[in-house]
Amino acid sequence: LAPHVIVFYIQETIALFHSYYTKYKDSEKIITADVEKTNARLLLTLAIKQVLKNALSILSVSAPDAM
């Protein structure tokens, strides 16, 4: 497996999530009164976190739990 492929995947994933977050950060907060939307957004956030953690682990790179 070529490590650069994983690095590019991580960069694309981060860019897509950042784009989503930036686009909706003022109009659509992650936690809202709509429980269903809140749960979906929290699950998306947790899924992204897990994907990034797994990808970094494959590369033997550690990441902080929080920033």
Side-chain angles (χ1 to χ4, degrees):
L1 188 63
H4 71 279
V5 174
I6 298 171
V7 172
F8 290 149
Y9 175 76
I10 291 170
Q11 289 175 325
E12 283 183 39
T13 303
I14 291 169
L16 287 169
F17 184 73
H18 179 73
S19 174
Y20 164 79
Y21 181 81
T22 302
K23 182 176 180 178
Y24 296 108
K25 72 179 180 180
D26 293 326
S27 63
E28 295 280 332
K29 301 291 184 190
I30 290 179
I31 298 175
T32 66
D34 185 336
V35 176
E36 195 170 308
K37 277 188 180 179
T38 295
N39 286 338
R41 291 178 181 143
L42 287 173
L43 286 173
L44 173 64
T45 303
L46 289 173
I48 294 291
K49 178 182 176 182
Q50 188 63 51
V51 166
L52 295 175
K53 182 178 179 180
N54 292 346
L56 290 171
S57 176
I58 291 169
L59 298 171
S60 298
V61 174
S62 62
D65 287 329
M67 291 183 80

